[in-house]
Amino acid sequence: MILHQYLIIAGLTLQLFDYGQDLLVGGTDTSALTVEWALNELLKHPRLIRKATEELDRVIGRDKWVEEADFSKLPFLEAIIKETLRLHPLATLLSPRYALEDCTVAGYNIAKGTTVFINTWSIGRSSKYWDSPEEFIPERFLGKDIDMKGQNFVLLPFGSGRRMCPGYNLGIKLIRSMLANLLHGFNWKLPRGMKPEEICMEEHYGLTTHPRIPLAMIPEPRLPVNLY
Ligand code: HEM
């Protein structure tokens, strides 16, 4: 009896450890990398930084940092995040799905027992769903009801359904908060002599997708000195 209880506890501990490991792997560089991609794109398109900081100055003002309660008042910032995740989804392929029975999804006939891989990267860059798909145009999301919670199948950076990312709420808040405050608190410059068009947007594929060459950026404070 004691051995039986011991085995159950050991099994549960292992299961918790396994899930904890998933959380660590899934939660470590995902949000930071999304912010890195967003800054790469913004430095490549200085007009968008001006537009984003205009919104921050108008809505937040220069005498405070951005807080969670402010996010809903910053539609352009949200559009930048969606556009970043459209072009640079961190997981190129979603977790594999296994068909329990014959079915038809989006016009494809899928036989029972098939393993299906969904390629979010290619959906995000398909001219079937997006105008000028290779261009970074956050304005395409303004006034549109396209969320990232797995119901709009053209934008699935966090996946969908029962295997959808359980870290969505934490991840999206971290991205909003980091990106908003990095843009609000600092002017970002490229190293001396570097031009926006020289920024490398090539990807390095791995468990998550990194920029092949990390970008060096120079921050300058833009808020009153007492806030730092
Ligand atoms: C920018 C932030 C993040 C992005 C873009 C992201 C994206 C994803 C994607 C695409 C999947 C696969 C979903 C599917 O196949 O339907 C996933 C799974 C997962 N994510 Fe995230 N994630 C992020 C943040 C986080 C955070 C902060 C955590 C934990 C604290 C986390 C934990 C996990 C775990 C444990 C899974 C596996 C779920 C399962 O297979 O049942 N993620 N994530």
Side-chain angles (χ1 to χ4, degrees):
M1 181 66 184
I2 290 174
L3 179 68
H4 182 69
Q5 279 172 343
Y6 172 77
L7 284 176
I8 291 178
I9 292 169
L12 281 175
T13 315
L14 275 176
Q15 237 178 340
L16 280 177
F17 175 73
D18 229 29
Y19 202 60
Q21 209 181 22
D22 282 359
L23 286 177
L24 272 179
V25 173
T28 37
D29 64 351
T30 41
S31 319
L33 268 178
T34 304
V35 173
E36 191 178 344
W37 277 117
L39 286 174
N40 272 27
E41 290 286 4
L42 291 173
L43 269 108
K44 208 172 173 66
H45 302 91
R47 120 188 135 78
L48 297 175
I49 296 212
R50 283 194 295 278
K51 214 166 158 180
T53 45
E54 248 168 54
E55 179 180 71
L56 287 162
D57 285 347
R58 182 167 33 82
V59 177
I60 311 295
R62 294 261 181 131
D63 56 353
K64 71 189 233 346
W65 291 98
V66 187
E67 290 166 11
E68 198 179 321
D70 302 317
F71 294 155
S72 60
K73 297 175 259 169
L74 299 167
F76 194 64
L77 181 87
E78 192 69 8
I80 289 174
I81 294 170
K82 286 181 182 172
E83 184 67 340
T84 303
L85 286 166
R86 177 185 74 82
L87 276 176
H88 308 286
L90 298 176
T92 310
L93 300 175
L94 298 184
S95 315
R97 264 65 177 179
Y98 179 81
L100 291 174
E101 54 192 53
D102 292 347
C103 54
T104 304
V105 179
Y108 295 94
N109 295 326
I110 299 167
K112 178 178 173 180
T114 308
T115 301
V116 179
F117 289 88
I118 313 246
N119 187 333
T120 38
W121 187 91
S122 80
I123 294 173
R125 289 174 187 247
S126 166
S127 54
K128 207 163 143 194
Y129 309 116
W130 307 98
D131 295 332
S132 311
E134 296 291 334
E135 280 171 43
F136 189 82
I137 312 174
E139 287 87 346
R140 69 173 87 238
F141 286 105
L142 292 177
K144 297 247 176 72
D145 189 19
I146 301 181
D147 72 20
M148 294 180 283
K149 292 186 190 155
Q151 296 308 306
N152 284 289
F153 295 160
V154 289
L155 188 68
L156 295 172
F158 294 90
S160 184
R162 279 183 286 179
R163 295 297 299 272
M164 188 185 159
C165 177
Y168 169 79
N169 279 317
L170 175 63
I172 195 72
K173 280 182 191 158
L174 283 172
I175 295 170
R176 287 176 184 143
S177 170
M178 275 193 279
L179 185 62
N181 282 305
L182 286 174
L183 291 173
H184 192 46
F186 302 93
N187 288 316
W188 293 94
K189 301 247 155 67
L190 290 172
R192 196 200 304 244
M194 187 172 180
K195 301 198 180 82
E197 54 276 20
E198 288 169 359
I199 296 176
C200 172
M201 301 302 285
E202 281 174 40
E203 296 160 323
H204 175 81
Y205 298 105
L207 194 60
T208 48
T209 312
H210 298 237
R212 192 172 64 77
I213 303 176
L215 180 63
M217 292 171 270
I218 302 166
E220 274 174 8
R222 68 186 286 278
L223 299 179
V225 73
N226 62 309
L227 288 181
Y228 292 90

